[in-house]
């Protein structure tokens, strides 16, 4: 396992990067992780919404004054190479990888999208979806890996979905994007056994994306299933605390897909 002997994940001085950190699960990750990391750690919160990022930073600082929080407006759907070349150094603000015992990245940025396969004729629409959910993630992750390759403990978490494993009508793009991400993470784990890699499916969570899916899902059977999920929807903090418990226990196979409801 890629961690220091005798050290638990949340006891190490850590730089933790959260993509999609302006609300919902991402904001909860920033705040709850910051509250557990030791003084001197740094949480980096990236998202498109600057106003909501400011709220995330305030909550993080209140939760753990000894842990720094840096925010940066970042559009994972952008094809601006300069953005991908500079975001990490901008966020570190003079700090170096060698200052940390551990580096963590959590890929939470995603969009839902719902359309039947036969209707996906607009190539720009398809391309934009894949840029946000696939291409951007790959490029961000590569920069993280290069920067922190020599840090003793490295952790990569992909927020995934049951849709990565089970096809759902009118969710072809969403499920395919999640399946790609899962396989990419499994490949990363194979190539780099010194990284701990996890695909975490958070379950039905009370977020803007969940409510958006109730409005936008095209297939009636899938929509009915989502309505049924609403009866047992989780809070962001509930699923994030489950993620924390899985990471603290640290017995998962690197690259594994673990659902909130799985026994661990």
């Amino acid at each position: 396992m890629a961690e220091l002997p005798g050290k638990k994940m949340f006891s190490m001085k850590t730089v933790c990067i959260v993509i999609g950190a302006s609300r919902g699960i991402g904001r909860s990750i920033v705040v709850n992780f910051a509250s557990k990391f030791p003084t001197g750690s740094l949480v980096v919160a990236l998202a498109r919404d600057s106003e909501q990022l400011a709220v995330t930073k305030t909550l993080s600082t209140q939760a753990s004054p000894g842990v720094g929080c840096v925010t940066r407006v970042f559009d994972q759907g952008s094809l601006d190479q300069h953005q991908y070349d500079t975001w990490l150094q901008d966020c570190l603000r003079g700090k170096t990888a060698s200052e940390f015992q551990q580096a963590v990245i959590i890929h939470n940025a995603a969009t839902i999208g719902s359309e039947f396969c036969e209707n996906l004729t607009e190539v720009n629409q398809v391309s934009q979806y894949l840029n946000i959910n696939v291409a951007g993630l790959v490029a961000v992750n590569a920069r993280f890996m290069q920067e922190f390759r020599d840090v003793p403990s490295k952790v990569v978490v992909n927020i995934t979905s049951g849709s990565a494993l089970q096809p759902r009508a009118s969710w072809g793009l969403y499920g395919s994007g999640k399946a790609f991400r899962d396989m990419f993470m499994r490949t990363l784990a194979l190539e780099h056994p010194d990284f701990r890699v996890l695909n975490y499916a958070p379950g039905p969570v009370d977020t803007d994306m969940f409510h958006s899916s109730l409005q936008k899902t095209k297939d009636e059977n899938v929509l009915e299933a989502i309505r049924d999920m609403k009866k047992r929807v989780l809070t962001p903090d509930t699923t994030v605390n489950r993620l924390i418990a899985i990471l603290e226990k640290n017995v998962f196979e690197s690259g594994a897909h673990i659902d909130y409801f799985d026994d661990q």
Side-chain angles (χ1 to χ4, degrees), residues 124-144:
N124 287 333
Q125 174 189 349
V126 174
S127 178
Q128 180 64 13
Y129 186 89
L130 296 175
N131 288 343
I132 296 170
N133 295 280
V134 174
L137 176 146
V138 171
V140 165
N141 196 77
R143 183 64 63 188
F144 168 84

Side-chain angles (χ1 to χ4, degrees), residues 30-126:
V30 170
V31 174
N32 284 287
F33 277 49
S35 70
K36 295 186 71 65
F37 286 129
T39 297
S41 295
L42 176 68
V43 177
V44 176
L46 278 68
R48 290 180 292 180
D49 190 329
S50 61
E51 292 184 1
Q52 291 301 317
L53 274 176
V55 175
T56 297
K57 181 173 183 176
T58 297
L59 293 172
S60 177
T61 302
Q62 290 173 347
S64 186
V67 173
C69 182
V70 173
T71 63
R72 190 181 194 276
V73 174
F74 186 86
D75 181 2
Q76 192 165 275
S78 169
L79 296 181
D80 178 8
Q81 187 61 45
H82 180 72
Q83 173 187 242
Y84 288 96
D85 290 340
T86 61
W87 71 269
L88 187 48
Q89 287 304 319
D90 288 349
C91 291
L92 289 177
R93 297 183 180 178
K95 294 183 180 293
T96 62
S98 61
E99 296 180 42
F100 300 99
Q101 296 172 297
Q102 178 173 243
V104 179
I105 188 166
I106 301 172
H107 295 287
N108 177 62
T111 54
I112 188 72
S114 177
E115 187 53 83
F116 295 105
C117 295
E118 67 177 327
N119 295 333
L120 294 170
T121 56
E122 295 295 327
V123 68
N124 287 333
Q125 174 189 349
V126 174

